[in-house]
Amino acid sequence: MSSAKVSVIISVYNGADYIRESIESLLAQTISEIEIIAIDDGSTDNTSTLLKLFKDPRIKLYHQQNQG
């Protein structure tokens, strides 16, 4: 069970142009008890690479084949 008070789920497909800004915005929020669940839905751009750059323990990354 997570100790986070807020969970944010982001499903992204080919979102390299905006995913970094989105994650940084979430991390900058005043609430520190947050978990960010990022689901890469089979992106064919470098979305997955950008997500892996974040080393914050509040971020959980998942990768799956594109579900459409």
Side-chain angles (χ1 to χ4, degrees):
M1 186 168 167
S2 174
S3 63
K5 288 187 178 182
V6 174
S7 296
V8 178
I9 301 171
I10 300 172
S11 179
V12 61
Y13 175 75
N14 288 346
D17 290 343
Y18 60 85
I19 193 63
R20 183 180 205 138
E21 183 178 355
S22 298
I23 298 289
E24 288 173 350
S25 176
L26 288 167
L27 292 173
Q29 299 302 307
T30 56
I31 186 168
S32 60
E33 296 161 328
I34 186 173
E35 73 175 339
I36 301 164
I37 302 167
I39 304 168
D40 178 11
D41 190 27
S43 295
T44 57
D45 63 0
N46 65 341
T47 296
S48 183
T49 301
L50 293 172
L51 286 169
K52 290 177 187 175
L53 293 175
F54 290 95
K55 302 300 181 191
D56 194 298
R58 297 173 291 177
I59 302 172
K60 295 171 180 54
L61 303 176
Y62 297 92
H63 304 278
Q64 66 182 27
Q65 289 184 345
N66 183 266
Q67 300 298 307

